[in-house]
Amino acid sequence: MSQRFVVTPAAGGTGDPRPAAESPDADTDAGRAASPEEPQADALPILRYCREPSRYGDGNPREISPFINNVEMERESYFEGKNMALFEEEMDSNPMVSSLLNKLATYTNLSQGVVEHEEDEDSRRREAKAPRMGTFIGVYLPCLQNILGVILFLRLTWIVGAAGVLESFLIVAMCCTCTMLTAISMSAIATNGVVPAGGSYYMISRSLGPEFGGAVGLCFYLGTTFAGAMYILGTIEIFLTYISPSAAIFQAEMAGGDAAAMLHNMRVYGSCTLALMAVVVFVGVKYVNKLALVFLACVVLSILAIYAGVIKTAFAPPDIPVCLLGNRTLSRRSFDVCAKVEAVSNGTVTTALWGLFCNGSGSSAVCDEYFVQNNVTQVQGIPGVASGVFLDNLWGTYSDKGAFVEKKGVPSVPVPEDGRPSGLPYVLTDIMTHFTLLVGIYFPSVTGIMAGSNRSGDLKDAQKSIPTGTILAIVTTSFIYLSCIVLFGACIEGVVLRDKFGEALQGNLVIGMLAWPSPWVIVIGSFFSTCGAGLQSLTGAPRLLQAIARDGIVPFLQVFGHGKANGEPTWALLLTALICEIGILIASLDAVAPILSMFFLMCYMFVNLACAVQTLLRTPNWRPRFKYYHWTLSFLGMSLCLALMFICSWYYALFAMLIAGCIYKYIEYRGAEKEWGDGIRGLSLNAARYALLRVEHGPPHTKNWRPQVLVMLNLDAEQCVKHPRLLSFTSQLKAGKGLTIVGSVLEGTYLDKHAEAQRAEENIRSLMSAEKTKGFCQLVVSSNLRDGTSHLIQSAGLGGMKHNTVLMAWPESWKQADNPFSWKNFVDTVRDTTAAHQALLVAKNIDTFPQNQERFSEGNIDVWWIVHDGGMLMLLPFLLRQHKVWRKCRMRIFTVAQVDDNSIQMKKDLQTFLYHLRISAEVEVVEMVENDISAFTYEKTLMMEQRSQMLKQMQLSKTEREREAQLIHDRNTASHATAAARTQAPAAPDRVQMTWTKEKLTAEKHRNKDVGASGFKDLFSLKPEWGNLDQSNVRRMHTAVRLNGVVLSKSQDAQLVLLNMPGPPKNRQGDENYMEFLEVLTEGLNRVLLVRGGGREVITIYS
């Protein structure tokens, strides 16, 4: 390596581009820290990222990369010379390869929250050399210590005795297979890039997303916490049962009360032990870490003692007699001599055993019937490997709670059990045993496979060490468990195996009596190993909770992300101790074990799911260095985990799933949004692609049609939405169903308006969130609003998920020629939707529409069904009334009968039609009669044409145009007042003609030619210029005026009025007149929704 190199400055500092040898302070700490042999710790942002990754994740929608978009380094260090001048403008976002490699070379990864008690920041930086723990020390031994533990010493012999060698072998093989498959999946995930501190939680959350990660992470945390409770209970059980039984505080007050007294003792001593351990963890975790090797040595020595004892039994089995009365095992705690009477110098005397079964020592004493009928015998408790007891222990002996521990093949005289006195020294089963129970109790003994991945930050090469060390540890422990099952079955008598607490052995630990050289090797070793495992759980669980809290995905947990100044999770430790206390209050090791089995099995299930999903999706970033994995293995592991959950306890499994589901939904509903490139998002994209391809084939059936809405929003100069109520109305119409695309157009070029477009999109998204509008935002920057709107109508959506309906607000200021959204744009948009066969909804007076929080307690939704539009007018009120805002409104449908129609029959037919549509509404048919065109209509038409002619022909400046328009408006207003005084406009009649068709107009001309001519002459005599008006405009204005009058008379107080929207004229010369017709049609109405169908049926009477 060259001796000349550039010192990369720390963030916020100034870099000296001279060689290190020429630097005046080259021998200082900073100079040494920058040397190639000792990379400067924390000099680069990536090191801060690795120490506190959550700081860079809170509130950001995507993972922050420490390599790209980093501008904290001085630009001068990039540009030495002009060799890269071509790229210098992009150096901020695309750094040189040499800079990237330099950051990678100085990368380190400190375990989250485990940096221990350094005095100050400088000393931590000096000591931040990359940790150098290999596979054996960093992964293999921690996994070994976590896997081998309390169940091996306290329950494995009992499991073998209850289930038999074969079924015990099956239990262990099933559980070990589950952990091996999980380890393979975990190895693939762990070697797919660098795994920062956080271990299993980090792997699951980054693979399956924040919802699954949070749910499974919290389940794993609860499992680890309850594991701490189990280890503490195991510690107290060893202490009170095998080390110092006299230390018990509570004593049995009556016969048979030993179990209850034992549980009370466990609660008291367990709570005290938990408090002591929590204080130790709070004061100094480094002491726990230093003692870990001692605890591991206890485990290894205990296992070696077991194997040594087994070997010894082959040639010199220990003399451990077990006393039987008939075929029932007797507890040796209260007597020594296994006989009814014993010989002394002068004869025979009764023994202590006699006194337990009889009410006196003489021959006339009354004794227990079973005691009288059966003989007392002795058998060897540990006959040895060569004794042939293996065949007797091959099959299981399940029993109910309180049953006698009986030896098969020993003669026994049965007696009636009614009225059997309690307190006799029998060995009884304390719980009912069955296969599924034993699976739940045993499974915690194979957990602990995550210990290596949890220490990923301390490993020299985590991607090599985690798979190798974890799989080797599982192989080793599986061999130990399986061999122990066979050896226990071959060495120990069946009644002794089923004696959980060693009562037949005078209260000694069964596995301890097998060990060599002394039972105390196992007792002391198991005591310290369980104690150490409890400390490790209380150390690891708070850090896991702290990692989840710092990620910010569960808001109410964020307080647990804080701790002491050195990063110790104080609050998390407190919560962990409280949850652990719940397990201790349960007080039974056999009851706590299935609980933590559930949580661990759920965690392992999702590790397998993560690997299977990533493998099946073939995401480009899925490139594990560990190659010995396959999705079928992961799927098998996931299935096995799920099966084991329900085998252990179906109600615990459902409860654990309920907890995980609640956490998942809570994070989904309230949690901070994260984008971690997780597999579930990839799975969603694949599913979306598949679904889009499926719906691509043809339009949906009428039964499946629902409005897929493109909402066109207008923005003001600050890129804020002008009419927020448009989104409120969308939410009420859609209720979260179907497709909603919120679109808007920004005028200009994309290069110039990029920042404004981003700001506008953020504003729209925030408003969508506030209005609870579920949909997509699509903003287009176009050279003009007209083209941008057309582009949105044509291209919004993807494949089959395209909009079929456009919702927009009525341009209230359309009469102003300089308005950005002018009448011309509006009319062209109407034409675009018609050409695209899309429905159009135009909301007039949108700012008066209700918000989502408002509720109408009464009122009507009036539908004016004038022309058939495919059923849109029927469907929209039905959808609106599904929302709470409109739920209490009644629906009324008005239709118009022409002169030749039978209005009574029309009403019956419409009621029948609505009945078949399953829509409840009031029906009213409005009849129409012939009516002359009023002077008011002529005057409105004249005003309209004068304004249109003025705007088209006069090429005036803005100020002049406004002044001219005002003058014309004043003149027309005066003339209108004069005309109104001469000829009063008639009131809206009850029966009016709806509209003019070509045929009806021709018939009307021939029928009333003379009357019409005289009427027109009378009108034209009032104002001669009326005779020059375009008669088609007059007829259209007549329709608008008359229909508006009818609608006002019926629906002025309605909460919402839905009207057929007439189409624009085919001749583009009359566009401005079209706007005036619509204005007159809706004049005086409060809330109006103009509806224009898309040219297809959207509602059907068929099922």
Side-chain angles (χ1 to χ4, degrees):
M1 185 175 182
S2 173
Q3 295 299 315
R4 289 178 59 85
F5 62 94
V6 179
V7 177
T8 305
T14 56
D16 186 353
R18 290 176 295 174
E22 299 174 357
S23 178
D25 55 350
D27 57 346
T28 63
D29 288 344
R32 287 196 300 270
S35 66
E37 292 76 21
E38 287 188 58
Q40 181 179 351
D42 226 6
L44 297 170
I46 180 173
L47 300 187
R48 293 196 301 277
Y49 170 82
C50 297
R51 175 170 291 119
E52 298 178 312
S54 58
R55 277 186 55 197
Y56 296 83
D58 288 346
N60 291 332
R62 58 186 180 277
E63 192 77 44
I64 297 294
S65 169
F67 305 128
I68 300 177
N69 295 329
N70 179 18
V71 295
E72 293 186 21
M73 303 178 64
E74 298 287 344
R75 291 174 60 93
E76 296 84 43
S77 61
Y78 284 130
F79 312 137
E80 288 205 357
K82 300 299 181 186
N83 294 335
M84 293 296 163
L86 185 61
F87 301 95
E88 63 184 15
E89 291 186 356
E90 297 180 343
M91 285 293 181
D92 287 344
S93 58
N94 301 326
M96 289 175 60
V97 174
S98 59
S99 171
L100 173 64
L101 294 178
N102 183 35
K103 294 178 183 180
L104 284 169
T106 55
Y107 174 77
T108 187
N109 187 1
L110 300 177
S111 297
Q112 188 169 25
V114 182
V115 181
E116 254 321 305
H117 295 76
E118 284 83 2
E119 276 69 27
D120 57 285
E121 186 71 14
D122 292 333
S123 64
R124 182 158 70 247
R125 289 183 176 181
R126 285 195 296 269
E127 293 175 11
K129 300 178 184 177
R132 295 300 178 210
M133 284 167 54
T135 303
F136 186 75
I137 298 293
V139 180
Y140 181 76
L141 290 182
C143 285
L144 212 64
Q145 181 186 358
N146 279 267
I147 295 173
L148 299 172
V150 62
I151 301 295
L152 170 64
F153 301 119
L154 295 183
R155 294 291 183 269
L156 192 58
T157 53
W158 173 71
I159 290 173
V160 174
V165 173
L166 290 181
E167 291 187 29
S168 300
F169 201 90
L170 176 62
I171 291 173
V172 175
M174 208 161 41
C175 294
C176 291
T177 302
C178 174
T179 54
M180 177 60 78
L181 293 173
T182 304
I184 291 172
S185 300
M186 184 191 72
S187 300
I189 298 173
T191 57
N192 187 50
V194 178
V195 178
S200 54
Y201 160 70
Y202 185 92
M203 289 189 296
I204 296 170
S205 61
R206 269 55 177 182
S207 298
L208 294 179
E211 293 87 2
F212 275 111
V216 180
L218 285 175
C219 284
F220 190 49
Y221 162 74
L222 291 173
T224 308
T225 305
F226 274 101
M230 185 188 73
Y231 291 131
I232 293 174
L233 290 174
T235 304
I236 303 305
E237 183 177 311
I238 294 169
F239 177 73
L240 290 178
T241 308
Y242 306 114
I243 296 178
S244 179
S246 60
I249 299 173
F250 298 92
Q251 303 294 336
E253 297 179 357
M254 61 179 65
D258 293 335
M262 183 64 179
L263 293 180
H264 291 317
N265 287 319
M266 297 277 279
R267 292 184 180 103
V268 173
Y269 276 98
S271 300
C272 295
T273 307
L274 172 63
L276 182 63
M277 287 185 175
V279 170
V280 171
V281 172
F282 176 76
V283 170
V285 180
K286 61 182 177 181
Y287 302 115
V288 178
N289 294 332
K290 288 177 181 177
L291 288 173
L293 199 57
V294 177
F295 299 141
L296 177 63
C298 292
V299 175
V300 174
L301 288 175
S302 300
I303 293 172
L304 292 177
I306 294 170
Y307 283 113
V310 170
I311 295 171
K312 182 177 179 293
T313 63
F315 53 87
D319 181 21
I320 304 174
V322 175
C323 192
L324 300 177
L325 175 61
N327 64 351
R328 299 176 182 176
T329 311
L330 297 178
S331 173
R332 294 290 291 269
R333 290 181 183 271
S334 52
F335 67 93
D336 296 324
V337 179
C338 183
K340 294 182 180 180
V341 295
E342 61 178 340
V344 294
S345 57
N346 296 329
T348 59
V349 295
T350 57
T351 61
L353 181 61
W354 179 283
L356 293 173
F357 283 90
C358 303
N359 62 359
S361 59
S363 58
S364 61
V366 178
C367 297
D368 180 73
E369 185 66 22
Y370 190 84
F371 180 75
V372 173
Q373 297 291 335
N374 291 276
N375 296 323
V376 176
T377 56
Q378 281 194 148
V379 296
Q380 283 297 321
I382 303 180
V385 176
S387 64
V389 75
F390 180 78
L391 295 176
D392 297 333
N393 294 328
L394 207 56
W395 305 104
T397 308
Y398 298 113
S399 57
D400 293 328
K401 181 179 180 180
F404 298 107
V405 176
E406 299 174 337
K407 179 172 172 56
K408 299 175 185 176
V410 175
S412 173
V413 179
V415 296
E417 295 297 330
D418 296 337
R420 174 171 60 87
S422 60
L424 298 179
Y426 291 119
V427 177
L428 305 176
T429 56
D430 63 331
I431 59 173
M432 182 177 67
T433 54
H434 46 84
F435 180 81
T436 58
L437 173 75
L438 299 181
V439 173
I441 292 175
Y442 172 75
F443 188 81
S445 64
V446 297
T447 61
I449 61 173
M450 299 288 190
S453 64
N454 289 341
R455 295 169 179 244
S456 56
D458 302 323
L459 301 174
K460 185 191 305 182
D461 185 0
Q463 298 192 14
K464 177 183 176 183
S465 297
I466 289 177
T468 308
T470 305
I471 292 174
L472 279 179
I474 292 175
V475 170
T476 305
T477 53
S478 300
F479 172 78
I480 291 173
Y481 282 126
L482 293 172
S483 63
C484 281
I485 284 173
V486 175
L487 295 176
F488 292 163
C491 294
I492 306 174
E493 177 60 49
V495 292
V496 178
L497 287 173
R498 295 194 297 278
D499 184 5
K500 184 187 291 186
F501 301 108
E503 294 180 29
L505 307 179
Q506 296 180 334
N508 289 313
L509 184 61
V510 174
I511 197 172
M513 301 304 289
L514 175 65
W516 181 87
S518 168
W520 287 102
V521 175
I522 296 292
V523 173
I524 301 300
S526 60
F527 177 79
F528 281 111
S529 68
T530 52
C531 187
L535 282 171
Q536 293 283 358
S537 296
L538 287 179
T539 304
R543 280 168 177 73
L544 181 59
L545 180 62
Q546 187 182 42
I548 298 171
R550 285 185 172 177
D551 262 344
I553 59 175
V554 184
F556 69 83
L557 287 181
Q558 289 185 354
V559 65
F560 298 108
H562 308 298
K564 293 194 291 186
N566 56 10
E568 286 301 302
T570 308
W571 293 107
L573 175 62
L574 182 62
L575 179 65
T576 302
L578 292 175
I579 297 174
C580 197
E581 177 65 18
I582 296 174
I584 288 173
L585 292 177
I586 296 174
S588 172
L589 186 68
D590 303 318
V592 173
I595 297 176
L596 64 102
S597 294
M598 290 302 114
F599 292 124
F600 278 118
L601 278 167
M602 183 168 290
C603 178
Y604 296 167
M605 181 177 71
F606 281 102
V607 169
N608 285 296
L609 174 63
C611 182
V613 166
Q614 298 278 30
T615 306
L616 288 173
L617 289 178
R618 296 188 180 91
T619 50
N621 192 51
W622 181 246
R623 302 185 300 274
R625 291 186 179 276
F626 180 78
K627 300 299 181 185
Y628 305 102
Y629 70 94
H630 195 266
W631 71 267
T632 53
L633 294 177
S634 300
F635 187 78
L636 179 62
M638 182 182 70
S639 305
L640 189 55
C641 288
L642 188 63
L644 283 174
M645 287 178 68
F646 283 93
I647 287 173
C648 293
S649 174
W650 64 268
Y651 46 89
Y652 277 166
L654 291 178
F655 185 67
M657 288 182 170
L658 179 65
I659 291 176
C662 290
I663 297 170
Y664 178 94
K665 295 305 293 182
Y666 177 79
I667 295 173
E668 185 181 55
Y669 180 67
R670 291 290 305 276
E673 292 188 8
K674 301 285 181 182
E675 176 51 71
W676 286 332
D678 51 88
I680 293 297
R681 183 175 176 83
L683 192 63
S684 301
L685 290 173
N686 266 18
R689 170 184 163 274
Y690 176 76
L692 283 172
L693 291 175
R694 286 287 303 273
V695 301
E696 177 73 13
H697 307 296
H701 191 273
T702 303
K703 291 186 292 185
N704 297 327
W705 194 94
R706 66 166 57 244
Q708 319 284 7
V709 182
L710 169 64
V711 186
M712 299 297 300
L713 295 180
N714 301 331
L715 303 175
D716 58 19
E718 301 297 325
Q719 280 73 52
C720 294
V721 178
K722 282 186 178 179
H723 304 295
R725 298 288 179 93
L726 205 58
L727 286 182
S728 304
F729 183 71
T730 305
S731 301
Q732 296 157 23
L733 181 65
K734 300 288 292 178
K737 303 295 190 299
L739 175 70
T740 301
I741 302 175
V742 181
S744 187
V745 181
L746 203 61
E747 195 167 11
T749 60
Y750 186 70
L751 290 178
D752 297 334
K753 298 284 187 177
H754 176 66
E756 294 180 22
Q758 281 189 328
R759 187 165 66 252
E761 192 166 342
E762 289 175 4
N763 293 339
I764 293 174
R765 288 188 190 279
S766 62
L767 182 61
M768 289 174 66
S769 177
E771 297 292 344
K772 297 181 180 179
T773 304
K774 296 180 180 179
F776 308 97
C777 176
Q778 191 165 350
L779 191 135
V780 171
V781 180
S782 179
S783 57
N784 59 72
L785 295 175
R786 166 74 188 92
D787 290 344
T789 306
S790 178
H791 294 159
L792 270 180
I793 292 173
Q794 294 176 61
S795 62
L798 178 64
M801 288 294 285
K802 291 183 69 69
H803 62 278
N804 54 29
T805 305
V806 177
L807 172 62
M808 59 196 305
W810 172 262
E812 301 290 348
S813 55
W814 66 270
K815 295 180 181 179
Q816 299 176 7
D818 59 339
N819 186 51
F821 196 84
S822 65
W823 56 268
K824 187 67 176 172
N825 290 342
F826 177 81
V827 178
D828 286 340
T829 302
V830 177
R831 286 197 175 97
D832 286 345
T833 57
T834 304
H837 299 290
Q838 294 173 3
L840 176 65
L841 310 178
V842 179
K844 191 176 182 188
N845 303 323
I846 184 62
D847 294 329
T848 65
F849 276 56
Q851 291 182 321
N852 290 328
Q853 296 78 20
E854 297 181 36
R855 301 286 184 272
F856 287 133
S857 59
E858 57 182 0
N860 300 315
I861 299 178
D862 286 355
V863 177
W864 285 85
W865 192 22
I866 300 169
V867 295
H868 183 55
D869 57 355
M872 278 287 289
L873 282 170
M874 308 291 180
L875 186 61
L876 292 176
F878 170 78
L879 295 176
L880 279 175
R881 291 180 68 232
Q882 307 302 308
H883 196 272
K884 295 179 180 178
V885 173
W886 306 92
R887 186 164 294 165
K888 295 185 179 180
C889 293
R890 293 178 303 164
M891 180 176 169
R892 299 192 302 181
I893 296 181
F894 298 90
T895 189
V896 179
Q898 299 183 18
V899 175
D900 300 331
D901 294 330
N902 185 339
S903 58
I904 298 176
Q905 187 62 39
M906 277 183 66
K907 184 172 183 178
K908 289 182 180 179
D909 293 342
L910 183 53
Q911 287 173 337
T912 304
F913 180 57
L914 290 177
Y915 174 78
H916 288 303
L917 288 178
R918 290 90 63 202
I919 293 177
S920 58
E922 298 179 18
V923 175
E924 186 171 343
V925 177
V926 178
E927 297 181 351
M928 293 171 31
V929 294
E930 288 299 330
N931 204 322
D932 291 340
I933 301 175
S934 66
F936 176 74
T937 301
Y938 276 107
E939 185 62 23
K940 292 284 285 186
T941 309
L942 178 63
M943 291 166 57
M944 176 186 72
E945 289 196 356
Q946 285 177 339
R947 184 190 305 107
S948 301
Q949 196 69 18
M950 175 197 72
L951 294 179
K952 280 193 289 187
Q953 293 182 358
M954 294 174 60
Q955 301 297 327
L956 304 174
S957 66
K958 178 181 176 182
T959 306
E960 292 171 329
R961 188 174 299 177
E962 290 177 352
R963 185 171 63 249
E964 190 67 26
Q966 186 63 39
L967 289 173
I968 294 176
H969 174 73
D970 295 342
R971 186 176 67 246
N972 287 337
T973 302
S975 62
H976 171 65
T978 305
R982 294 178 182 175
T983 307
Q984 183 177 357
D990 290 335
R991 309 197 321 150
V992 297
Q993 177 68 32
M994 167 226 160
T995 186
W996 290 86
T997 61
K998 184 176 180 181
E999 296 78 7
K1000 208 154 184 61
L1001 176 64
T1002 305
E1004 193 67 25
K1005 283 181 178 178
H1006 287 296
R1007 187 161 25 133
N1008 297 321
K1009 188 173 182 181
D1010 296 336
V1011 176
S1014 61
F1016 288 147
K1017 289 178 181 178
D1018 292 339
L1019 286 173
F1020 294 156
S1021 65
L1022 296 176
K1023 206 165 191 179
E1025 57 264 34
W1026 289 352
N1028 300 324
L1029 294 176
D1030 186 341
Q1031 291 303 306
S1032 65
N1033 286 340
V1034 174
R1035 291 194 303 272
R1036 288 188 175 91
M1037 183 63 74
H1038 174 70
T1039 301
V1041 170
R1042 307 310 297 164
L1043 189 56
N1044 175 253
V1046 173
V1047 173
L1048 278 177
S1049 67
K1050 299 288 185 181
S1051 304
Q1052 190 163 15
D1053 297 329
Q1055 302 291 7
L1056 179 65
V1057 176
L1058 285 83
L1059 273 170
N1060 281 119
M1061 181 178 181
K1066 294 182 180 179
N1067 181 9
R1068 292 175 178 266
Q1069 300 300 320
D1071 286 355
E1072 62 278 1
N1073 299 335
Y1074 172 69
M1075 296 295 293
E1076 187 71 42
F1077 295 144
L1078 294 180
E1079 189 76 64
V1080 172
L1081 179 64
T1082 58
E1083 192 173 8
L1085 295 173
N1086 185 19
R1087 303 182 191 93
V1088 184
L1089 186 67
L1090 295 171
V1091 180
R1092 184 163 173 77
R1096 61 160 294 168
E1097 293 293 329
V1098 300
I1099 196 166
T1100 177
I1101 65 174
Y1102 299 106
S1103 61

